[in-house]
Amino acid sequence: MSDKFYAKSPGNEGYIKNMEVLSHHDCDNHYLFQSQLYKTADGKYYLYGGCFYGNGVEILDVTDPSNPRHVQYMPVMDPEKYTYMSTPKIQIADDLMIVSNGNCLEFLHGPAPKNFTPAPGGVHIFSLKEDPEHPKKLSFWSTGEPEGTPGSGVHRFTYNGGKYMHLSATAVGFKDFIYRIVDISDPTNPTEVGRWWNPGQFFGNQTEKTRKKEWNGWQGYNTYPGFVHFPYVGDDEKTAYLSCAGGGFKILDISNPAWPQVIGECKMTPPFATKFGGALCHTFMPVLGTNYAIGMQEGERQWTYGREQYEHFGVHSFCGIEMFDISNKEDPVLISILPYPEVPEDFPYKNFNQLGDDFPTSFGPHNLHEPMTGKPWIENNKDRAYDCYFHAGLRVYDISDPYVPKEIAYFIPPNPEKLCFDVKMPNKPLGTAEDVVVDDRGYIYLNAMHDGVYILKSLV
């Protein structure tokens, strides 16, 4: 048996080890994707949740983590005009809240309404300084595509305070997300100052034959030669750590943001993550205060991988979390792989790759907790890592010895009992961890698929 289990209702148990659940909030029936924390000068804590399907931000007062208070759901655009959109990611630093704007994915959110108007891609910039419960809109920066362009927008990004935002964003003339650097020293007037992309992403120097070879010759899930999924920029504003889907991990010198230069890279695909999955090379970021980095390849939610995908792609290859030595940034070296998530003894399936069907599902990790020096209210512990491992739940690791990382705790949430919106699922939805952030008090905020936010505390 697990050390403990957590029951949301009779017959719907989650699984927990070396953790305790302090509270749960349904987030006003919104599907939170990435959340960010903010601590006010008088010591109040707020959680701001971007939504995978929606047009705004969910705001909770989490000063008392055992009793979160719903503040409001705040639209960032006119919900009557833009009925189908996504505000998936949020960053907060220097009293600014930045919210990404993108369009939805049908396989995650279901089909769009008829005659809907796609929302413009970009980021919204708000001030939290005056009133954190009612953020003040300062500006909107657009990715530049004509309004109504399907698939445009901003996905993952970094803002650590200071002058620059670092975005994975679409752009006219490019395939999928590229890296775009935006100056917000005047947050009312954001201005792009630099960009970088993988070979093959720029359409302007390709013939139709080359374009087909680059993008259609790969039999995996639209990941080669690699779009920029997540640019992480830490405390020095001179080095960017990029996760480039099928293109691997890259380290860039951005001391001159107008001319980013690759200084090191680590190819991961193949052999990792060569079949159906999410962003594949999803996150790559330094462990602050050390010469190490952590990276991961995204699997996918269990319910997105049905027989049709299995028959087309075959057995899904390994997606995992790895530690790297980056003491020489020109030569990042993989030094260890974090262990496969422990399967509870009373779990109804023998592992997380085979969930009762007669074929193995897509599986792997997802979002990591992202420490940043410009956000002193979130945990920055060089000995810990936290990852949302989809239907394996939240996993906590001891990485004090980066050569021998160990799993020390987990929480698999109960299955969702209702959906936030209609979406086609080929498999029964299991409790699924989506995103995590940890505050400086040690409280862990876990966004669960179609199931609000769980607030937990580690016991180890």
Side-chain angles (χ1 to χ4, degrees), residues 265-286:
E265 63 180 346
C266 190
K267 299 289 188 181
M268 301 298 292
T269 308
F272 296 94
T274 56
K275 301 285 184 170
F276 184 95
L280 304 191
C281 287
H282 177 284
T283 295
F284 182 54
M285 61 184 183

Side-chain angles (χ1 to χ4, degrees), residues 375-405:
K375 305 173 182 184
W377 49 80
I378 70 170
E379 182 179 280
N380 180 11
N381 183 346
K382 67 180 184 301
D383 294 334
R384 287 284 176 96
Y386 304 81
D387 183 85
C388 289
Y389 229 108
F390 285 132
H391 46 281
L394 171 66
R395 299 284 158 160
V396 184
Y397 300 94
D398 179 344
I399 58 170
S400 55
D401 182 345
Y403 287 88
V404 191

Side-chain angles (χ1 to χ4, degrees), residues 36-40 46 48 57 59 74 90-98 125-138 377:
Q36 285 282 289
L37 291 158
Y38 177 68
K39 183 180 179 182
T40 65
Y46 289 94
Y48 300 82
V57 175
I59 306 175
M74 182 193 75
I90 294 179
Q91 292 284 294
I92 296 174
D94 282 359
D95 299 318
L96 297 176
M97 178 176 73
I98 303 168
I125 302 177
F126 294 84
S127 172
L128 299 178
K129 189 172 184 178
E130 297 81 6
D131 183 352
E133 297 196 2
H134 300 88
K136 177 184 176 183
K137 183 74 168 284
L138 300 178
W377 49 80

Side-chain angles (χ1 to χ4, degrees), residues 11-12 51 146 157 205 236 257 261 274 297 310 337 350 355 439:
N12 185 17
C51 294
F157 66 104
N205 59 6
D236 64 359
Q261 297 290 298
T274 56
Q297 298 80 44
Y310 173 72
I337 298 175
K350 66 179 181 179
L355 300 171
D439 72 22

Side-chain angles (χ1 to χ4, degrees), residues 5 24 33 52 173 181-182 205 209-210 269 316 363 389 410 442:
F5 70 88
H24 171 262
F33 197 45
F52 221 6
I181 304 172
V182 178
N205 59 6
K209 183 178 180 180
T210 302
T269 308
H316 187 250
F363 177 65
Y389 229 108
Y410 63 74

Side-chain angles (χ1 to χ4, degrees), residues 107-108 221 274-278 299-317 352-355 357-363 391 424-428:
F107 78 98
L108 286 176
Y221 188 56
T274 56
K275 301 285 184 170
F276 184 95
E300 195 48 272
R301 300 155 190 82
Q302 143 269 344
W303 48 267
T304 67
Y305 194 85
R307 177 165 294 282
E308 180 181 349
Q309 288 84 2
Y310 173 72
E311 291 178 350
H312 180 73
F313 295 109
V315 174
H316 187 250
S317 59
F352 299 109
N353 291 81
Q354 294 179 294
L355 300 171
D357 297 309
D358 59 350
F359 57 90
T361 61
S362 171
F363 177 65
H391 46 281
K424 182 179 179 181
M425 294 189 182
N427 300 298
K428 178 183 177 180

